[in-house]
Amino acid sequence: MIWLGLLIVVVTFWFIIKNYETRMVLFLSGVLMATISGELIPAINAFIKQFNNVGLVNTICTVLGFSYVMSYTKCADHLIAVVTGVLKHCRFVIVPAAMIVTFCLNIALPSAAGVSAAVGTLLIPLLLAMRVTPAMAGSAVFLGTWGSVLSPGLMFNPMIAEMAQTDVMSVIISIAPSVMVGMLVAVGMLTLICFVLKEGAGSYQGELNVQLPEGLKVNYLYAMVPVLPLVLLVISSEQVAWIPYVSVPQAMICGTVVGLVLTRKSPGEGSKKFFRGAGDGFCDVVGLMAAAATFCAGMQSIGLTDAMIDMMKESKSIAQVAAAAGPFTMAMVSGSGNAAGVAFIGSVVPHAEEFGYTIIELGGMAEIAGAIGRSMSPVAAGAVICAKLAGVNPMELAKRNALPTILATIVMAWLLL
């Protein structure tokens, strides 16, 4: 049964790598394993339970709703325009600065594909105009698309917080030091590659058809709105406690209202955008979590989860390697950090204490490894977007980001675990 389950898991990952619909593949795989073991109903119940998970559903839907409103009000554009304007004066450090800016903006706009499109549209033409090679321009932006691990809107942070019975900001604050070190390692490595390959500002001599996006008259109040929920969450957290506790949904709703009031956009149209985002969050993210829960239940029923746990109990180092290498490899080959992390977090992380780790340590490492592994995947949506904006093959981005992401993952695993 265990070997059969392992075969099904391998086939499942193969289908995901081949870009079959992830939710369908995970759900059917879980149902198949549960049927073989004679425990189909518990697997179906695991699927249904995710749709009733009040804490996670509220968080995910309001985050996506807020994100849609920020696009509608153009507040996100104003924020990006502010940081892009600053970068114009950083010619000699433009490549590492582009990665850091993307990383930071990905915290406020926690979608790898979304931040690749929004930030890449401004930054990549700017990098090209400064004669950075197209491949390095795309790589610098793409390498910053894992900043979302510090976002309260990334689905894994509330998921880990619920498992650890704590609040989201406590999870983020716990992993933040390791993440910041990892980010600096990735930045340093990419800068070194840029220097060795001579691909920095002024190095590209080829023909470029670059047209910088039309200037936007920046309103600094508008630019502050996308980061308002993050500020509220930080100052209301247990560690700071400057104001009464504010939950993620409350912070997102406050940000939505402030954005609509400041920009004087139509409240009716803004409401439509918010609920459209909430609906897409339920469809895309909650749906994925429900399918993954079915997959995890199937693994449990067929005995595969217990076998994995028993193996990891034998050695703490095995658990350490699995938490980092497993999600990283899966994200790299599939292009999905969510699909990579959700199965590991759902099936293994609840047993973290049995391996000598806390839930936050093991779960945090899994989500970080999945996110940064995606940042070197040539099939990730962010890679395709950045490569298209830069006019290169996505594999060129993956090659340049390989060493930075691998080295950063090793360092973070050493620090966090």
Side-chain angles (χ1 to χ4, degrees), residues 7 22 63-64 107 149 171 188 214 252-253 255 273 296 321 381 383 392:
L7 175 62
T22 303
V63 166
L64 266 291
I107 299 174
V149 296
V171 174
E214 298 216 358
M252 297 302 159
I253 291 172
K273 296 295 183 183
C296 293
V321 171
V392 296

Side-chain angles (χ1 to χ4, degrees), residues 339-417:
V342 75
F344 187 93
I345 291 174
S347 59
V348 177
V349 171
H351 307 277
E353 292 182 0
E354 299 177 37
F355 316 135
Y357 298 111
T358 66
I359 286 175
I360 293 177
E361 288 172 341
L362 200 64
M365 189 64 244
E367 73 160 316
I368 292 167
I372 197 169
R374 180 193 57 222
S375 297
M376 69 159 286
S377 171
V379 297
V384 174
I385 292 168
C386 290
K388 184 176 181 180
L389 291 170
V392 296
N393 189 303
M395 187 57 71
E396 294 300 316
L397 276 57
K399 288 191 294 186
R400 284 161 178 77
N401 288 358
L403 283 177
T405 54
I406 292 171
L407 185 58
T409 302
I410 293 172
V411 170
M412 287 185 288
W414 178 70
L415 290 173
L416 197 57
L417 301 179

Side-chain angles (χ1 to χ4, degrees), residues 13 16-19 327 329-337 339-340 377 379-380:
F13 288 166
I16 292 174
I17 292 167
K18 291 297 182 180
N19 289 321
T329 304
M330 181 60 187
M332 178 187 66
V333 296
S334 71
S336 172
S377 171
V379 297

Side-chain angles (χ1 to χ4, degrees), residues 173-355:
I173 290 170
S174 296
I175 65 174
S178 300
V179 170
M180 297 311 294
V181 172
M183 186 267 287
L184 292 175
V185 169
V187 168
M189 196 66 205
L190 185 68
T191 303
L192 179 61
I193 292 171
C194 180
F195 175 77
V196 171
L197 297 180
K198 298 180 180 178
E199 294 187 341
S203 62
Y204 188 65
Q205 303 303 319
E207 290 293 324
L208 288 173
N209 181 21
V210 179
Q211 183 175 2
L212 290 172
E214 298 216 358
L216 175 71
K217 188 175 181 181
V218 175
N219 184 310
Y220 291 95
L221 276 178
Y222 293 0
M224 292 170 62
V225 177
V227 298
L228 175 62
L230 190 62
V231 172
L232 289 175
L233 290 168
V234 171
I235 64 177
S236 71
S237 65
E238 292 179 2
Q239 292 77 11
V240 180
W242 288 354
I243 63 173
Y245 174 72
V246 176
S247 68
V248 175
Q250 290 167 346
M252 297 302 159
I253 291 172
C254 286
T256 298
V257 173
V258 170
L260 290 172
V261 171
L262 277 180
T263 59
R264 298 187 298 279
K265 291 287 188 178
S266 166
E269 192 62 30
S271 297
K272 290 179 183 178
K273 296 295 183 183
F274 180 86
F275 287 110
R276 173 55 58 195
D280 285 352
F282 192 88
C283 171
D284 297 334
V285 183
V286 178
L288 174 61
M289 291 168 58
T294 310
F295 176 73
C296 293
M299 288 178 59
Q300 178 69 47
S301 67
I302 209 167
L304 192 56
T305 301
D306 290 338
M308 290 171 56
I309 291 170
D310 289 341
M311 180 183 69
M312 293 171 70
K313 282 180 183 177
E314 293 178 6
S315 172
K316 190 174 181 178
S317 60
I318 294 177
Q320 183 182 31
V321 171
F328 181 96
T329 304
M330 181 60 187
M332 178 187 66
V333 296
S334 71
S336 172
N338 289 348
V342 75
F344 187 93
I345 291 174
S347 59
V348 177
V349 171
H351 307 277
E353 292 182 0
E354 299 177 37
F355 316 135

Side-chain angles (χ1 to χ4, degrees), residues 100-185:
I100 293 172
V101 164
T102 307
F103 182 94
C104 294
L105 288 175
N106 196 203
I107 299 174
L109 308 170
S111 163
V115 83
S116 296
V119 178
T121 301
L122 291 171
L123 280 190
I124 291 177
L126 177 63
L127 289 164
L128 295 177
M130 291 185 174
R131 311 301 295 184
V132 174
T133 63
M136 184 55 67
S139 297
V141 173
F142 183 43
L143 187 58
T145 58
W146 60 285
S148 58
V149 296
L150 296 181
S151 171
L154 185 68
M155 69 175 183
F156 297 119
N157 286 321
M159 185 186 298
I160 294 167
E162 185 177 55
M163 289 180 182
Q165 298 183 339
T166 186
D167 63 286
V168 174
M169 291 310 298
S170 293
V171 174
I172 293 172
I173 290 170
S174 296
I175 65 174
S178 300
V179 170
M180 297 311 294
V181 172
M183 186 267 287
L184 292 175
V185 169

